[in-house]
Amino acid sequence: MKPSVNYIGITGIIERMTSMRDDCCNQTIALRTMNGMVNFVLSPGTYVVDNTPLRTGMRITAFYDSSLPVPLIYPPQYQAAFIGRTEPSENMMIAYFDRNLLSVENQLKLNVASGTRVTTANGQRFSCSLGNHLLIVYYGASTRSIPAQTTPDRIIVFC
């Protein structure tokens, strides 16, 4: 069975972070991207990789669930589902991967190496099969084939 959730990632630099009115548990992150400004709502349910404290000037990739409704405003505003700090030469993807480690959208095929760091969402070592799980994948270069192939640097498994 193919999962129907499709996470869309947007990479940029945090321009500012503000608490939402009368709600200190939620914040708005203004992200400066190559295509302009994008706002993300950071809530207690947002998964932040490594619980990294976010700050102005940090380069991040934020993901939202494209099946959820969004307000028709400018700049666009999305509910952040996942956020991870990324380096300029680093890519980040969140997707369900099948037993052959091919993303269900057929965008990326993983070739896991012995040096690939694999953990669960709470930071514990993961030594079982990676297939049929939602994965956060950090990787550098990938092939130009369809699907693209890569040897990831790091994988976070959501069980």
Side-chain angles (χ1 to χ4, degrees):
M1 179 173 86
K2 262 188 174 180
S4 62
V5 176
N6 188 22
Y7 293 106
I8 306 293
I10 298 176
T11 301
I13 305 296
I14 298 175
E15 188 83 13
R16 69 184 168 284
M17 296 178 65
T18 54
S19 292
M20 298 183 78
R21 291 185 207 118
D22 302 325
D23 186 357
C24 293
C25 289
N26 291 296
Q27 294 180 314
T28 300
I29 297 173
L31 197 62
R32 183 173 21 94
T33 73
M34 291 175 49
N35 298 318
M37 295 301 294
V38 176
N39 291 329
F40 280 94
V41 175
L42 175 65
S43 70
T46 302
Y47 177 82
V48 179
V49 174
D50 297 330
N51 290 315
T52 302
L54 303 175
R55 59 176 165 62
T56 301
M58 183 181 281
R59 183 179 192 269
I60 64 167
T61 300
F63 291 84
Y64 67 94
D65 180 348
S66 64
S67 68
L68 295 177
V70 294
L72 295 174
I73 58 173
Y74 185 83
Q77 179 172 296
Y78 304 105
Q79 175 65 48
F82 302 91
I83 294 178
R85 182 176 186 177
T86 52
E87 297 299 324
S89 62
E90 191 171 48
N91 299 298
M92 183 179 174
M93 178 181 193
I94 297 175
Y96 286 94
F97 286 81
D98 68 15
R99 69 175 198 267
N100 299 314
L101 300 182
L102 177 64
S103 68
V104 294
E105 299 84 16
N106 295 320
Q107 292 177 335
L108 189 65
K109 167 83 169 87
L110 304 180
N111 300 311
V112 180
S114 60
T116 302
R117 190 170 96 193
V118 181
T119 62
T120 60
N122 64 8
Q124 305 308 304
R125 193 168 69 87
F126 185 84
S127 56
C128 296
S129 172
L130 295 171
N132 298 316
H133 286 97
L134 178 68
L135 306 176
I136 294 179
V137 180
Y138 280 89
Y139 63 99
S142 65
T143 65
R144 294 185 183 263
S145 60
I146 297 174
Q149 295 188 36
T150 190
T151 301
D153 300 316
R154 180 179 183 192
I155 298 173
I156 301 170
V157 182
F158 287 83
C159 298

